Amino acid sequence: DAGVTQSPTHLIKTRGQQVTLRCSPKSGHDTVSWYQQALGQGPQFIFQYYEEEERQRGNFPDRFSGHQFPNYSSELNVNALLLGDSALYLCASSLEASGRAYETQYFGPGTRLLVL
Amino acid sequence: AQKVTQAQTEISVVEKEDVTLDCVYETRDTTYYLFWYKQPPSGELVFLIRRNSFDEQNEISGRYSWNFQKSTSSFNFTITASQVVDSAVYFCALSEASTGNQFYFGTGTSLTVIP
């Protein structure tokens, strides 16, 4: 049973560039959430995708956008990168069982993004 | 306002000692879930436990135990007879019915178990 996978593992970009991060959910899961974890902090919710639509969004600017594909995999895009975007980006998947919320989220290993 | 507070930033214990990690949460919802995750140096958050707001029974799983007290809005985590492999950052998280599946994480407690 494959867990959540993310790619790439590490990424170095310069200010102003754009980046795309990828996530494949745990087998059988249909919901993907993205989190940003700055060094020494807890993960901060960016947004969640379900049925290929953004269902919920945290306090992040429009530079952060995403997509969910029919196979439930997801991408996180960040435009006009800032130095402050340097962080570990975590993807989490869950199963929207019968429309219930707050299902357990299972996390991938993350993508470490460094913006120079 | 911080919805989840983990006041202990770093804790060091000697192997075989017991250690308790504190978690205090804040919510106006009557339906909510609390979680604990472990984050080893590799970075991946590992799910440990989920509790709902209607079940205050304490839970034990091997060397791990959890104490949920609604009266004090706390969900503390105890590791008995700690081992070096328990060294990691531990996060407490809250999910509320009113905000759907968004998880609110605390700032984490870094636990170091010294051999």
Side-chain angles (χ1 to χ4, degrees):
Chain A
D1 183 17
V4 180
T5 60
Q6 292 186 242
S7 64
T9 56
H10 294 80
L11 206 51
I12 299 176
K13 291 286 188 178
T14 57
R15 280 182 300 174
Q17 285 189 313
Q18 177 264 344
V19 68
T20 298
L21 311 181
R22 295 176 176 81
C23 170
S24 290
K26 184 178 169 70
S27 178
H29 285 182
D30 57 8
T31 304
V32 173
S33 302
W34 286 92
Y35 291 81
Q36 179 195 67
Q37 185 179 17
L39 196 62
Q41 299 296 317
Q44 297 291 316
F45 176 76
I46 301 174
F47 43 52
Q48 182 181 85
Y49 276 84
Y50 172 65
E51 293 188 337
E52 301 181 48
E53 291 192 358
E54 182 183 296
R55 176 165 66 176
Q56 198 169 348
R57 189 179 185 92
N59 188 26
F60 278 81
D62 293 344
R63 298 187 297 110
F64 290 77
S65 63
H67 189 76
Q68 185 180 35
F69 299 94
N71 66 353
Y72 307 119
S73 67
S74 177
E75 288 182 350
L76 163 66
N77 300 293
V78 187
N79 294 322
L81 285 168
L82 304 174
L83 296 180
D85 294 332
S86 295
L88 177 67
Y89 288 85
L90 294 162
C91 168
S93 74
S94 53
L95 176 62
E96 182 75 6
S98 302
R100 289 185 306 167
Y102 37 88
E103 290 295 328
T104 299
Q105 296 187 4
Y106 294 88
F107 286 79
T111 295
R112 293 188 185 274
L113 172 64
L114 177 61
V115 182
L116 301 176
Chain B
Q2 190 77 5
K3 285 183 177 285
V4 177
T5 300
Q6 295 179 256
Q8 304 152 308
T9 306
E10 297 181 2
I11 299 177
S12 293
V13 298
V14 176
E15 199 170 22
K16 298 184 182 177
E17 285 185 344
D18 299 347
V19 59
T20 295
L21 308 182
D22 298 333
C23 173
V24 174
Y25 63 92
E26 181 181 335
T27 181
R28 294 183 179 180
D29 284 27
T30 55
T31 301
Y32 54 90
Y33 280 79
L34 296 163
F35 301 80
W36 275 96
Y37 285 86
K38 174 183 180 179
Q39 188 175 43
S42 61
E44 182 172 347
L45 284 164
V46 178
F47 167 71
L48 296 177
I49 190 172
R50 179 179 90 156
R51 302 295 286 175
N52 73 61
S53 53
F54 301 107
D55 183 2
E56 286 192 73
Q57 281 192 340
N58 292 332
E59 183 158 337
I60 298 174
S61 176
R63 296 185 297 106
Y64 295 170
S65 62
W66 291 269
N67 183 351
F68 176 27
Q69 291 194 340
K70 290 178 72 171
S71 61
T72 57
S73 297
S74 64
F75 185 44
N76 296 337
F77 173 31
T78 297
I79 302 175
T80 302
S82 59
Q83 300 176 2
V84 173
V85 293
D86 295 328
S87 296
V89 181
Y90 290 86
F91 289 96
C92 180
L94 166 72
S95 181
E96 304 166 306
S98 63
T99 52
N101 219 359
Q102 175 176 349
F103 278 29
Y104 299 93
F105 284 85
T107 51
T109 296
S110 178
L111 174 65
T112 301
V113 181
I114 304 166

